[in-house]
Amino acid sequence: METIELADGGRLLYEEVFLEPELADRYFVELRDHCLWEQKPALFGHMQPRLTASYGDAGITYRYSGTVNVALPWTATMLEIKHRIEAVCGQYNYCLMNRYRSGSDSMGLHADDEPEMGNVIGSLSLGATRTFRIRHNFSKETRKFPAGHGTLIIMAGTMQQFWKHDIPKTTQAVGERINLTFREIKKTEIK
């Protein structure tokens, strides 16, 4: 696994082929076919340009951009993936999954800097390769990484405070991609 030290204390761990293809294939099919996917509203009355699913420990709720995500119980497959990623870095109690159905599905430039969230995020990509892009908040330095079938990216250090990241749209013909983002979230009550 490559460790990339970023400006202002950010750290990115990157392994392009974290999972062997056969295992990545199995995980992709199981998650695609057996998770509870939904398209949620975004800001300004639009729908998010992707599908999402939320899993985690009992009582975990993740809120961002006006969206409330109550964790469903872990599946056996998700626990298996979680343990593999925790063996590299971090401890996680929640996973937000994003399902990109085509190149027109995307994730805008953002930081996962909600106060209830820890500073380590483990991100596993399955399916079609997309570009994972990071940009420094002040210098605007930009770096790009291929997020392919079985790629693991761990964001740590002060990355969420000083860097934003996204999965931009693409006009290239690409297949489906599932991204699992494992996080540690403080338990909060639903209001």
Side-chain angles (χ1 to χ4, degrees):
M1 175 154 290
E2 181 183 1
T3 300
I4 302 162
E5 298 296 335
L6 300 167
D8 295 314
R11 189 173 350 101
L12 193 101
L13 284 70
Y14 177 79
E15 188 163 345
E16 192 167 1
V17 185
F18 177 69
L19 298 177
E20 58 272 13
E22 297 79 16
L23 184 57
D25 289 345
R26 178 171 67 84
Y27 287 158
F28 179 85
V29 170
E30 287 182 21
L31 296 172
R32 181 195 64 201
D33 295 348
H34 299 292
C35 288
L36 184 61
W37 297 101
E38 57 185 331
Q39 188 171 20
K40 291 194 168 190
L43 297 174
F44 311 114
H46 300 287
M47 297 301 282
Q48 291 181 347
R50 64 194 169 279
L51 303 177
T52 61
S54 298
Y55 290 84
D57 293 355
I60 300 296
T61 300
Y62 175 47
R63 295 173 180 84
Y64 69 93
S65 299
T67 302
V68 177
N69 300 277
V70 178
L72 296 170
W74 295 109
T75 67
T77 297
M78 293 191 70
L79 282 174
E80 187 178 320
I81 297 169
K82 177 173 109 67
H83 295 314
R84 285 180 179 271
I85 297 173
E86 286 176 334
V88 175
C89 183
Q91 292 293 311
Y92 310 106
N93 63 2
Y94 177 79
C95 180
L96 176 66
M97 293 195 301
N98 291 291
R99 183 173 170 186
Y100 302 87
R101 298 159 291 185
S102 69
S104 62
D105 278 1
S106 63
M107 171 71 77
L109 199 60
H110 71 288
D112 295 311
D113 57 358
E114 291 81 8
E116 69 273 12
M117 190 166 7
N119 69 333
V120 178
I121 297 174
S123 175
L124 179 69
S125 292
L126 300 169
T129 299
R130 296 287 295 268
T131 298
F132 174 78
R133 184 172 59 182
I134 61 173
R135 188 178 79 186
H136 191 271
N137 293 342
F138 305 112
S139 71
K140 305 304 181 197
E141 174 191 353
T142 301
R143 298 189 63 178
K144 297 177 182 180
F145 303 87
H149 194 41
T151 298
L152 178 63
I153 297 171
I154 296 177
M155 296 177 277
T158 59
M159 191 163 168
Q160 301 305 320
Q161 288 76 40
F162 292 99
W163 295 79
K164 289 186 172 53
H165 56 279
D166 69 353
I167 299 289
K169 293 180 187 298
T170 179
T171 57
Q172 296 177 344
V174 295
E176 277 196 287
R177 172 182 182 258
I178 294 174
N179 179 239
L180 298 87
T181 54
F182 290 90
R183 306 131 187 272
E184 178 69 30
I185 295 180
K186 295 176 196 166
K187 288 187 178 184
T188 57
E189 297 297 318
I190 298 175
K191 295 179 182 176

